[in-house]
Amino acid sequence: MPQKPAVPYGHVTVPADVLATALYGLGQYEAAAIEHRGDGLRPSTKVCDAVAWLWENGHQREVTNVIGTVCAILRGRPVPGGVGRITHTAVIDAFGVELAELGMTPEGGWAPVAEHLAREVPRGF
């Protein structure tokens, strides 16, 4: 199977299909970790750091992949340790809140990122 074009990340170049698979796995891991922690809908610092770095370096598609995967897995499930069900918007907002608390909000604020994600991550991703 031919690989898709490689994407430069700092000093390394990663085949696009390999990167997409890795980010999908990161999203799966993060969704499981959120459920396991049971402290509400709070993304981890490491994943927030990755999301901020990807966005700041122009890799919006990859941000969509990670957060879209978390949305797809958690959407409709009970809020861990909370009340209600998880929605698409709640996942996007949770990343925004956590990034702000960690001082990692992308340049230009979270609003443009949230708008991008609301458009690009289909409700049933």
Side-chain angles (χ1 to χ4, degrees), residues 41 43 71 79 85-97 123:
L41 189 56
C71 285
V79 174
R85 300 250 173 227
I86 297 172
T87 65
H88 171 84
T89 304
V91 172
I92 294 169
D93 292 346
F95 272 91
V97 168
R123 301 272 185 238

Side-chain angles (χ1 to χ4, degrees), residues 52 55-56 96 99-100 104-116:
W55 187 266
E56 288 294 323
L99 284 164
M104 290 190 253
T105 302
E107 189 174 321
W110 183 250
V113 181
E115 289 172 18
H116 166 82

